[in-house]
Amino acid sequence: MASLGLGDNFYYKVLPIVVIETLLFCYAATLPPRSCQVVLSVLGLWWCWAALIVEIKITGAYPGFDYANPADPEMKVYKPFCDFAPWATCSKVLMSPPGRFLKYFGIAKDRHAFFFDRWEGQNLLEKVRGAIDIPNPTLGVLFFGFHFIFPVLMVLPFPLLNKLIVWAFFAACCGVGAMTIWLAYNLFFVLQDFCVVCVSMYVDNYFCIYMMYKLATQTDFTTISAEHGWHTVFTYDVFFGVVPLVVWAPILAMVAAMGSYALVEYFMRARCAHAREAAHGYQVLLA
């Protein structure tokens, strides 16, 4: 194992996480569609917030971080948990251009936002394009968040509309799957690296396609409100399926804590940066 160059992060952080994750994926494979969706969504949210924390911390520790040639290759100031070998550096992968695919394809303008917070530009279109310059994991939070609250979208007693929503989710999963192929190509063949955060989300993304197809073809979610009343979607059996509280609640609690930490870390750092810029501008005026 020494020849692989595995560091302490692998043995004490990555390995235990991957073992637990693998067990949860295996467990999810045995569950009915909605129950499987609950497990996949909380796992996806965990990894997305983990990725966002890494990116926010790197941005704070290394302003202007150069993924191809970092000023501190050993990451002494801040080393992410997912950097565990010379060939496995998630810092390089997450901070690379494909990590913001909306900007990579020219859809978003370069504002380096994280949470749709940079509404800058001369007109509405420019402001929107600036606001959507966000990391892929931010989009992942939305993607897996909607999977988690999926029964809420079935609240209206219109089976045809609900069926359209279900198949729209399946189409979205297929679209994410197609993007995953492109991201994996960049990871393994362009960057020639390994990112446990990314690969875990790749697995989750493809699992969602299988799960969503089963949910669309093998369940009565589209008619449950019409037949039993809108309040039915908020019952435990419908919302969480057969997944016990002890499985999803601890992960969701960690997700909430990680999300809160990421938001506070980011917006406090942004406020400090704006304060420094204002102070610098004031000094220039005095000069």
Side-chain angles (χ1 to χ4, degrees):
M1 296 294 283
S3 62
L4 295 177
L6 298 175
D8 289 345
N9 275 357
F10 175 78
Y11 296 106
Y12 298 114
K13 297 176 183 178
V14 172
L15 183 59
I17 292 171
V18 170
V19 169
I20 294 171
E21 173 192 42
T22 303
L23 292 174
L24 286 170
F25 276 137
C26 293
Y27 171 63
T30 67
L31 297 174
R34 172 54 192 168
S35 304
C36 178
Q37 188 179 34
V38 170
V39 176
L40 295 181
S41 62
V42 293
L43 272 176
L45 286 168
W46 193 96
W47 280 112
C48 287
W49 282 115
L52 284 169
I53 289 173
V54 168
E55 293 193 43
I56 291 168
K57 296 285 285 185
I58 290 175
T59 301
Y62 302 101
F65 182 80
D66 183 354
Y67 78 97
N69 187 29
D72 177 15
E74 296 182 11
M75 306 291 285
K76 297 186 185 71
V77 177
Y78 169 69
K79 185 171 186 176
F81 77 97
C82 43
D83 280 14
F84 60 84
W87 48 270
T89 53
C90 70
S91 54
K92 172 183 176 181
V93 179
L94 293 174
M95 301 300 284
S96 67
R100 290 172 177 258
F101 86 88
L102 290 178
K103 180 169 69 177
Y104 186 90
F105 288 111
I107 301 170
K109 292 183 71 72
D110 187 6
R111 295 291 185 270
H112 204 71
F114 272 84
F115 302 108
F116 305 99
D117 57 297
R118 298 290 175 86
W119 291 81
E120 301 168 3
Q122 296 181 346
N123 53 57
L124 180 59
L125 179 60
E126 282 196 6
K127 290 179 179 180
V128 171
R129 291 182 66 199
I132 62 174
D133 177 21
I134 52 176
N136 297 346
T138 302
L139 296 173
V141 169
L142 295 176
F143 177 72
F144 290 111
F146 274 110
H147 273 294
F148 184 74
I149 66 166
F150 180 77
V152 176
L153 303 179
M154 300 288 105
V155 72
L156 295 177
F158 305 122
L160 180 58
L161 174 62
N162 292 340
K163 187 176 287 291
L164 289 174
I165 292 173
V166 172
W167 284 108
F169 261 68
F170 174 71
C173 289
C174 291
V176 170
M179 183 58 65
T180 297
I181 295 173
W182 177 76
L183 290 170
Y185 170 80
N186 278 280
L187 172 62
F188 296 120
F189 297 102
V190 178
L191 298 173
Q192 296 183 349
D193 210 303
F194 179 84
C195 171
V196 66
V197 177
C198 306
V199 172
S200 295
M201 285 194 278
Y202 297 166
V203 175
D204 207 329
N205 290 344
Y206 272 97
F207 209 152
C208 280
I209 297 175
Y210 167 73
M211 172 276 299
M212 205 64 220
Y213 180 76
K214 288 182 64 178
L215 195 149
T217 59
Q218 299 179 15
T219 68
D220 61 350
F221 256 88
T222 58
T223 60
I224 194 167
S225 290
E227 294 180 356
H228 304 287
W230 63 268
H231 60 278
T232 310
V233 301
F234 296 102
T235 61
Y236 191 98
D237 289 345
V238 172
F239 201 96
F240 296 106
V242 298
V243 185
L245 184 72
V246 294
V247 173
W248 62 264
I251 305 174
L252 196 62
M254 286 190 287
V255 166
M258 292 164 70
S260 300
Y261 174 80
L263 290 168
V264 170
E265 179 77 11
Y266 173 70
F267 284 106
M268 287 296 291
R269 179 180 60 78
R271 189 167 69 174
C272 290
H274 290 323
R276 287 194 298 269
E277 291 172 3
H280 176 71
Y282 181 68
Q283 291 170 357
V284 170
L285 287 174
L286 289 179

